[in-house]
Amino acid sequence: MKKALVIGAAGFVGDYLIRELNDNGIVAYATKLPHEILVGEFAKVYDLDILDKEAVVNILYEIQPDYIFHLAAQSSVGVAWKNPLLTIDVNIKGSINVMDAVRDLFYKPRLLLIGSGEEYGHIKPEETPISEDNALRPGNIYAATKACQNMIGSIYSKAYDMDLMMVRAFNHIGPGQASLFVVSDFCRQVAEIEKGIREPVIKVGNLAAKRDFTDVRDVVRAYVKLIQVGEAGETYNVGSGNAQEIRQILNKVVAMSDREIRVETDPNKIRPVDVPIIEADITKLNTLTGWKPVIPVEQTIRETLDYWRMNS
Ligand code: A2R
Ligand code: GDD
């Protein structure tokens, strides 16, 4: 049986990925930061800070995984504006620690680095939907760190003949996501309004942006396919292929409630730069694996709203 290590498994995606691995008959191991909680029912769990290179090496020697999914990151665009150094440390130095630890091993596991659709940044109208070989013009600090991870990953793969693939994940959503992110944020506010613990006013940021949303369960299906059949050194977009205006997403969330809700812009939620549209071309991944997303965005929104109705 194959063994997979999920680094940074206590975040949003980790739990879903571990379940997908289990469903595919792959034995799962997972790492989390010491202060985090991860129910270890479906994976053997280790504490790991990726800024500690020696600790990364020790865990790899102990587990000797066939597959490694590198999810650990500072993953919020908003937080990156407020804390660039932390974002650079975790997303660049931390990723290089992981790549170096894998490079020094006595065997060649397959490594999947998770990047972002944000790497494309300022996309020209004729470039959308955007494909993997397009120029990268990151529009924010988070995006720049992920573009850097991708470039270094590509260099390592060629220079050291590593079995390493990269994805650019577009916006993924679902129950359990932190309310730092837009769908979860809107759903949480609506759930709190319904419970009477918040005034009937929803606070929003830039509603004109268009983003490409995919259910997290579809996303982890793509990751597990890619680690098995992805080509070393290659980058793959993982998204839906259809961007939606954030205003449309807001309308869908609000329409799922029977309350009268007023919309108000919160200046703190407006970012210094917010690129107008990010939409994936998923032909490369679809051609290689046959993958396409199957869960409609309305279902994901409804389940996320129900999650917050139970958890706020
Ligand atoms: O920042 P925290 O306390 O939420 O912990 C995050 C963790 N993490 C680290 N793990 C090990 N060593 C570090 N120095 C370190 N710093 C942060 O990585 C969190 O538990 C996990 C990342 O999970 P999320 O932030 O929930 O990201 P998500 O949505 O699971 O996305 C997975 C990947 C990331 O690379 C994103 O940038 C990309 O997909 O979209
Ligand atoms: N969070 C948030 N809250 N965003 C809002 C709000 C709000 O109230 N109102 C509008 N937005 C807009 C943001 O300005 C942005 O254009 C869009 O909604 C999505 O914001 P987020 O959900 O915070 O995600 P993101 O696009 O910045 O980043 C996410 O997707 C990337 C892939 O495209 C994260 O999951 C990243 O880790 C991921 O790489």
Side-chain angles (χ1 to χ4, degrees), residues 75-78 115-118 142 146 169-172 177 179-183 185-186 189 203-207 209 211 213 246 269 271 274-275 278:
S75 64
S76 159
V77 173
S116 170
E118 280 282 342
Y142 167 80
K146 289 291 185 172
F170 289 63
N171 299 59
H172 32 302
Q177 187 171 34
S179 56
L180 269 177
F181 301 99
V182 69
V183 169
D185 188 345
F186 291 169
Q189 291 186 64
K203 301 278 177 90
V204 302
N206 174 21
L207 297 182
R211 294 291 182 271
F213 292 94
I246 303 301
K269 289 183 159 188
R271 298 170 182 178
D274 201 32
V275 300
I278 309 183

Side-chain angles (χ1 to χ4, degrees), residues 165-294:
M165 286 79 56
M166 291 149 286
V167 303
R168 295 201 180 107
F170 289 63
N171 299 59
H172 32 302
I173 54 173
Q177 187 171 34
S179 56
L180 269 177
F181 301 99
V182 69
V183 169
S184 211
D185 188 345
F186 291 169
C187 289
R188 182 182 189 167
Q189 291 186 64
V190 168
E192 289 179 358
I193 289 166
E194 288 178 347
K195 286 191 173 167
I197 54 179
R198 178 186 286 273
E199 276 186 278
V201 179
I202 188 162
K203 301 278 177 90
V204 302
N206 174 21
L207 297 182
K210 290 182 176 165
R211 294 291 182 271
D212 179 320
F213 292 94
T214 307
D215 190 286
V216 63
R217 291 158 286 199
D218 280 327
V219 170
V220 296
R221 267 198 309 113
Y223 291 176
V224 173
K225 281 184 188 294
L226 273 176
I227 205 136
Q228 296 178 89
V229 300
E231 220 178 287
E234 292 296 314
T235 296
Y236 300 88
N237 285 343
V238 177
S240 74
N242 288 301
Q244 302 200 35
E245 214 178 52
I246 303 301
R247 190 183 314 277
Q248 277 177 276
I249 297 285
L250 173 69
N251 291 342
K252 287 186 207 290
V253 177
V254 170
M256 287 179 194
S257 177
D258 58 5
R259 303 302 154 96
E260 277 288 312
I261 298 175
R262 206 153 46 78
V263 176
E264 220 172 72
T265 301
D266 177 350
N268 286 321
K269 289 183 159 188
I270 302 289
R271 298 170 182 178
V273 176
D274 201 32
V275 300
I277 179 164
I278 309 183
E279 183 174 60
D281 181 335
I282 55 170
T283 310
K284 186 173 174 181
L285 172 61
N286 177 261
T287 305
L288 178 74
T289 66
W291 178 90
K292 55 181 186 215
V294 295

Side-chain angles (χ1 to χ4, degrees), residues 7-14 31-33 35-36 48-52 70-76 86 89-91 94 113-116 142 146 149 167 169-170 172 177-178 181 223:
I7 299 177
F12 171 49
V13 175
T31 79
K32 64 172 190 67
L33 284 169
H35 71 266
E36 293 181 303
L48 177 69
D49 183 335
I50 56 167
L51 295 176
D52 180 349
H70 175 39
L71 301 184
Q74 192 304 94
S75 64
S76 159
L86 171 80
D89 274 347
V90 177
N91 295 4
L113 299 176
I114 313 299
S116 170
Y142 167 80
K146 289 291 185 172
Q149 172 187 264
V167 303
F170 289 63
H172 32 302
Q177 187 171 34
F181 301 99
Y223 291 176

Side-chain angles (χ1 to χ4, degrees), residues 93-107:
K93 285 191 194 167
S95 289
I96 293 176
N97 279 343
V98 171
M99 286 185 240
D100 277 339
V102 171
R103 169 161 81 98
D104 291 345
L105 278 172
F106 58 92
Y107 72 102

